[in-house]
Amino acid sequence: MEKQVYITQEEHGRCQKVAGAFAELYDMVDIVVVDVGRYGFVELKYYMPSHGFEEDVTFTDSISLFEELWQEWLNMTLYLMAKGTPLLGKGYKSVFESLPEEKQSELIGRKADFAKAAGIYL
């Protein structure tokens, strides 16, 4: 029986770079991206000791992986900024919009930093 390959070698290399570019995210929250060879990359989220990871998503293209990790990074950063305030209950969009324009620009600029580190062209 022939083994099916779900990700090209080229995309595999790109996904490795993307996963590496977001290393700081893995220190912020219970998220890890695992290389599962011919199947692609799996994002594992929210570890529970008695159960394992609550969520998992498989990626076979670097752009989708990048956008997922970028959104996770942005959401976690906004969460940490608003933690302990009533603003957090209004959602991440409200937290972002409440920030000064300079801080909003700084956060959006980080996307370009991650993209450069990952070799992604937006």
Side-chain angles (χ1 to χ4, degrees):
M1 181 157 90
E2 185 178 327
K3 289 185 179 182
Q4 178 70 36
V5 175
Y6 299 93
I7 186 171
T8 66
Q9 287 294 334
E10 189 175 322
E11 272 305 298
H12 189 272
R14 289 179 184 153
C15 285
Q16 280 181 318
K17 286 185 76 171
V18 170
F22 283 93
E24 72 182 64
L25 173 64
Y26 314 137
D27 293 332
M28 295 168 68
V29 66
D30 289 343
I31 292 177
V32 65
V33 176
V34 180
D35 179 347
V36 291
R38 64 189 174 104
Y39 299 102
F41 286 74
V42 176
E43 176 192 36
L44 302 169
K45 298 196 260 187
Y46 317 125
Y47 183 74
M48 303 295 288
S50 61
H51 173 72
F53 287 94
E54 291 290 315
E55 295 181 28
D56 62 85
V57 182
T58 302
F59 294 90
T60 57
D61 81 89
S62 55
I63 299 297
S64 296
L65 179 59
F66 178 86
E67 290 298 336
E68 171 67 17
L69 294 176
W70 159 249
Q71 196 61 56
E72 289 290 345
W73 181 89
L74 181 60
N75 289 349
M76 184 50 58
T77 300
L78 294 171
Y79 170 81
L80 293 172
M81 291 175 146
K83 187 176 175 181
T85 71
L87 190 58
L88 189 59
K90 295 182 179 183
Y92 297 127
K93 183 177 179 183
S94 293
V95 173
F96 183 80
E97 291 171 350
S98 73
L99 297 172
E101 282 186 35
E102 182 179 299
K103 189 64 177 176
Q104 289 179 12
S105 294
E106 179 185 321
L107 290 175
I108 296 303
R110 287 300 308 272
K111 186 173 186 177
D113 295 340
F114 285 121
K116 183 177 179 183
I120 298 289
Y121 299 97
L122 303 173

